[in-house]
Amino acid sequence: MVINDRERPVPAVTIADVARLAGVGESTVSRVLRRSGSYSEETRDKVLRAVSALGYVPNRIAGALASTESDLVALIVPSLANIVFPDVLRGASVALESSGFQSVIGVTDYEEAREEDLIASVLAWRPRALILAGLEHTDRSRAMIAASGVRVAEILDLDGQGIDHVVGFSQHAAGRDTARHLVGRGRRRLAYLGIRLPGDSRARKRHEGFLAGLAEAGLSPADQELVPAPSSAEAGRIGLATLLARTPDLDAVYFVNDDMAIGGYFHCLAEGITVPDRLALFGFNGLEVGQALPQPLSTIRTPRYRAGEVAAGLLLAQAPATVVDTGYELVPGATS
Amino acid sequence: MVINDRERPVPAVTIADVARLAGVGESTVSRVLRRSGSYSEETRDKVLRAVSALGYVPNRIAGALASTESDLVALIVPSLANIVFPDVLRGASVALESSGFQSVIGVTDYEEAREEDLIASVLAWRPRALILAGLEHTDRSRAMIAASGVRVAEILDLDGQGIDHVVGFSQHAAGRDTARHLVGRGRRRLAYLGIRLPGDSRARKRHEGFLAGLAEAGLSPADQELVPAPSSAEAGRIGLATLLARTPDLDAVYFVNDDMAIGGYFHCLAEGITVPDRLALFGFNGLEVGQALPQPLSTIRTPRYRAGEVAAGLLLAQAPATVVDTGYELVPGATS
DNA sequence: TTGAAAGCGCTAACAT
DNA sequence: ATGTTAGCGCTTTCAA
């Protein structure tokens, strides 16, 4: 630890200073800076000169208060611990930043109560719009949103009733399609490997869809295991080892996500378990790294970036409440 | 695409409404809500009852304007495309959210000019503090920061002069230590595999450090390759294939990061190249997935979460300008 | 303990 | 084309 030396000035250039230096009225400065209304070329130059001479930075807090609208968009996500939600943020922020909006983010850790708190504090900033993950929210969250009149986009889920815009796909269907795919390839002894994270409603819906898909074929899971959160490759390795120790004759495992499935694949590599002949592995998300494995992972590729992008687009366009099914892509890969 | 049906009310409960309903003055409501000044138990109850009856949500825009201080902290990062910066955000946002601060984020795509624009727009919100990646910024960025008087933390680099707080480690030293490690293990035909991303000054510094480390041992790189951005496992596979095609007798490759190195490892698996006997692989970052490989990746584990956490902590504590060397950990692993 | 009143720095009519 | 003047919804003296 070293101490930097540093002065701390406390300036405060306001629009009045700029107006004075430029020899014009405050509203004229405001017009020039916002390119609204009309002003002469000459006035504009005077103003801009004054702005840069003073190093004036407009105060959006005052601007937002006066105009009663902000350029803030709030994004509240469950987690930043794997690449899924950063991908969503990326898609949204490209759209938002190119339109001059600012992103305010919050992380719920998959807890509805935490989400509620974040919604409350973020609404205090009167954001132009709100992006949330999933369709499950507390009653108070819904009430606050309704009372504020803020536009909302809920993303990455389609199984339920939305508040305003909904952009995503059916998690249930994804789970069911996975079961159908594996059963279609002749698998009969299937297991599910998830994590203990009650707040992850999307994972729960996939799981339910998977069981429904098995039931369609008259099957029930040969085994199931939930390892402690967070999901990780290491957790996938361990979880698969546990499953196989308990139920050696499994012929397929559905992992809650690719991170876990990749770990499962490594377990097979290390133990000499032939994939997919002896055991099929199936993930979820379609992460890049899974596709670079010696055998590309069988998985469902989800439109995360696109969901963020589309949600932001609807919000920016002030579109009427819309439901967009972005779909997903089942990637057969080489592990099933 | 389906249209949700939805009403759009436009309420506007203000502190005046609360004051009226509670039968007290506005300033009393303000005091109760901010737990500042003094008020009777009874008054407090009346106010809180009115607040919940009306569903009042304080307007922080007005509050920030009146008090000339916001609870916003801005984080400007180069990218969200791999887990490195989300980890930083995670560390920072835990610290910030628990103190009631809001995170505003911006993504520069590794471009200083973009960073400058983001700094300008974010400063318009008069944030309490600013977290930036690295020490390289445009002159105008520095000028705006100085003029605004905002506190700053620059993270993940220590090689250069900081503006205010600096939290990170020497990227140059990390590259140099990697060279020393590989040379120490008897490697003599070393290559560097990076990506074409001129704005990534931290990667550049590692690369320079690596070359310096080789030079110490009287060596120069046997080959070098830069593949097009972004970095990915697939890019690592391809890059390694390219290197080996051109320089078959390499005995070690230093990858710009773990994502790339993991792809390189997969290439070796697929091609039957014995690691580390025939070829040593070394990455950077210490990603979880790399440690779950059948052979844990040799790499340098970087304190990303911690950097965000420490930076936020210094900022929240209003500490005097401080330089914190968080260090890094060389993980020998099994691929070198 | 509480209320009145003056801003915070800007935008949005409304004049001119 | 440009200036004047009210606010926007709070916080903060300052009195009472």
Side-chain angles (χ1 to χ4, degrees):
Chain A
M1 282 232 204
V2 179
I3 305 298
N4 263 343
D5 75 280
R6 180 165 193 254
E7 314 292 315
R8 316 221 78 273
V10 185
V13 184
T14 73
I15 206 170
D17 301 317
V18 176
R20 204 171 309 122
L21 180 58
V24 302
E26 298 185 20
S27 52
T28 300
V29 174
S30 177
R31 282 185 208 104
V32 170
L33 260 26
R34 284 175 306 110
R35 300 172 175 68
S36 86
S38 51
Y39 44 82
S40 69
E41 187 97 342
E42 191 196 337
T43 303
R44 198 204 45 175
D45 292 348
K46 279 191 300 188
V47 169
L48 295 183
R49 246 194 308 278
V51 164
S52 62
L54 297 172
Y56 171 68
V57 176
N59 184 331
R60 278 196 180 290
I61 294 176
L65 181 61
S67 66
T68 62
E69 62 179 1
S70 82
D71 60 0
L72 258 22
V73 171
L75 299 119
I76 299 182
V77 298
S79 165
L80 292 174
N82 68 39
I83 201 64
V84 171
F85 292 103
D87 277 345
V88 171
L89 295 185
R90 211 155 49 83
S93 69
V94 166
L96 295 175
E97 287 177 7
S98 69
S99 302
F101 284 78
Q102 313 262 340
S103 309
V104 179
I105 65 162
V107 182
T108 72
D109 281 322
Y110 289 98
E111 291 178 21
E112 285 190 5
R114 185 93 197 82
E115 183 184 66
E116 182 179 294
D117 290 347
L118 288 167
I119 289 175
S121 40
V122 94
L123 285 182
W125 282 99
R126 302 294 187 266
R128 193 62 141 283
L130 191 54
I131 297 182
L132 302 175
L135 302 167
E136 278 72 35
H137 316 289
T138 66
D139 290 343
R140 199 165 87 83
S141 292
R142 291 172 191 286
M144 290 188 295
I145 288 169
S148 74
V150 72
R151 297 302 304 266
V152 178
E154 293 163 283
I155 59 174
L156 301 184
D157 193 359
L158 226 49
D159 306 323
Q161 178 60 47
I163 296 172
D164 188 357
H165 301 301
V166 178
V167 180
F169 55 89
S170 168
Q171 299 275 347
H172 187 93
R176 188 204 53 209
D177 284 356
T178 299
R180 287 181 182 166
H181 169 85
L182 292 170
V183 170
R185 298 227 165 164
R187 307 293 165 163
R188 290 296 176 274
R189 300 282 298 161
L190 299 90
Y192 173 78
L193 177 52
I195 58 175
R196 266 196 284 283
L197 189 57
D200 189 349
S201 58
R202 287 166 297 288
R204 177 177 48 71
K205 291 175 181 180
R206 290 198 297 280
H207 185 195
E208 290 167 359
F210 180 69
L211 297 181
L214 290 185
E216 278 178 359
L219 295 173
S220 51
D223 199 352
Q224 306 201 62
E225 173 74 11
L226 296 181
V227 297
S231 70
S232 67
E234 186 59 19
R237 276 183 91 131
I238 294 171
L240 180 55
T242 305
L243 278 172
L244 289 175
R246 193 164 56 208
T247 316
D249 66 339
L250 293 177
D251 60 16
V253 177
Y254 179 31
F255 294 81
V256 66
N257 63 28
D258 281 2
D259 304 77
M260 300 278 286
I262 288 168
Y265 179 76
F266 293 158
H267 176 76
C268 294
L269 273 188
E271 298 295 315
I273 298 169
T274 320
V275 174
D277 295 351
R278 158 85 177 73
L279 188 69
L281 307 176
F282 204 100
F284 180 78
N285 271 333
L287 300 192
E288 192 271 335
V289 62
Q291 299 309 302
L293 293 174
Q295 297 170 266
L297 185 63
S298 300
T299 188
I300 279 181
R301 184 175 290 136
T302 57
R304 306 179 293 277
Y305 181 94
R306 178 127 195 287
E309 193 180 29
V310 170
L314 287 170
L315 258 7
L316 294 182
Q318 318 227 53
T322 305
V323 176
V324 179
D325 185 346
T326 56
Y328 52 76
E329 182 194 356
L330 194 151
V331 180
T335 63
S336 71
Chain B
M1 278 230 207
V2 178
I3 305 297
N4 263 345
D5 75 279
R6 181 165 194 256
E7 315 293 312
R8 316 220 79 276
V10 186
V13 183
T14 71
I15 205 170
D17 301 316
V18 177
R20 203 170 311 122
L21 179 59
V24 303
E26 299 185 19
S27 49
T28 301
V29 175
S30 176
R31 281 184 209 106
V32 171
L33 261 25
R34 285 176 304 107
R35 302 172 173 68
S36 86
S38 51
Y39 44 84
S40 69
E41 188 99 337
E42 189 197 338
T43 302
R44 197 204 47 175
D45 292 346
K46 280 192 297 187
V47 169
L48 294 183
R49 248 193 307 278
V51 163
S52 61
L54 295 172
Y56 170 67
V57 176
N59 184 330
R60 278 197 180 290
I61 294 177
L65 181 60
S67 65
T68 62
E69 62 179 3
S70 81
D71 61 0
L72 259 21
V73 171
L75 299 119
I76 298 182
V77 298
S79 165
L80 293 174
N82 66 40
I83 202 64
V84 172
F85 292 102
D87 278 345
V88 171
L89 295 185
R90 211 156 47 86
S93 70
V94 166
L96 295 175
E97 287 178 7
S98 69
S99 303
F101 284 79
Q102 313 263 339
S103 308
V104 178
I105 66 162
V107 182
T108 71
D109 281 323
Y110 291 99
E111 290 177 20
E112 284 190 4
R114 184 93 199 81
E115 183 184 67
E116 182 180 295
D117 290 347
L118 287 167
I119 289 174
S121 39
V122 95
L123 285 182
W125 281 99
R126 303 293 188 266
R128 195 62 142 282
L130 190 55
I131 297 182
L132 302 174
L135 303 166
E136 277 73 35
H137 317 287
T138 66
D139 289 342
R140 198 165 88 82
S141 291
R142 291 172 192 284
M144 289 186 296
I145 288 169
S148 75
V150 72
R151 299 301 304 267
V152 178
E154 294 163 284
I155 58 174
L156 300 184
D157 193 0
L158 228 48
D159 306 322
Q161 178 61 45
I163 296 171
D164 188 356
H165 300 301
V166 178
V167 179
F169 54 89
S170 169
Q171 299 275 346
H172 186 93
R176 188 204 55 210
D177 284 354
T178 299
R180 287 181 181 166
H181 169 84
L182 292 170
V183 171
R185 298 230 166 164
R187 306 294 164 162
R188 289 296 176 274
R189 302 279 301 160
L190 299 92
Y192 174 78
L193 176 53
I195 57 174
R196 266 195 285 284
L197 188 57
D200 189 350
S201 58
R202 285 167 297 288
R204 178 176 50 69
K205 290 174 181 180
R206 290 197 296 280
H207 184 194
E208 290 167 358
F210 180 68
L211 298 181
L214 291 186
E216 279 178 358
L219 295 173
S220 51
D223 199 352
Q224 306 202 60
E225 174 74 11
L226 295 182
V227 297
S231 69
S232 68
E234 187 59 20
R237 276 183 92 130
I238 294 172
L240 180 55
T242 305
L243 278 173
L244 289 175
R246 192 163 58 210
T247 316
D249 65 339
L250 292 177
D251 60 17
V253 178
Y254 179 32
F255 295 80
V256 66
N257 62 30
D258 281 1
D259 305 76
M260 300 279 286
I262 288 166
Y265 180 76
F266 293 158
H267 176 77
C268 294
L269 274 188
E271 297 296 315
I273 299 169
T274 320
V275 174
D277 295 350
R278 156 87 176 74
L279 187 68
L281 307 177
F282 204 100
F284 181 78
N285 270 333
L287 299 193
E288 191 272 333
V289 61
Q291 298 310 301
L293 293 174
Q295 298 170 266
L297 185 64
S298 300
T299 188
I300 278 181
R301 182 174 292 135
T302 57
R304 306 179 292 279
Y305 181 93
R306 177 126 198 287
E309 190 181 30
V310 170
L314 287 169
L315 258 7
L316 294 181
Q318 318 226 55
T322 304
V323 176
V324 178
D325 186 345
T326 56
Y328 50 77
E329 182 195 356
L330 194 150
V331 179
T335 63
S336 70

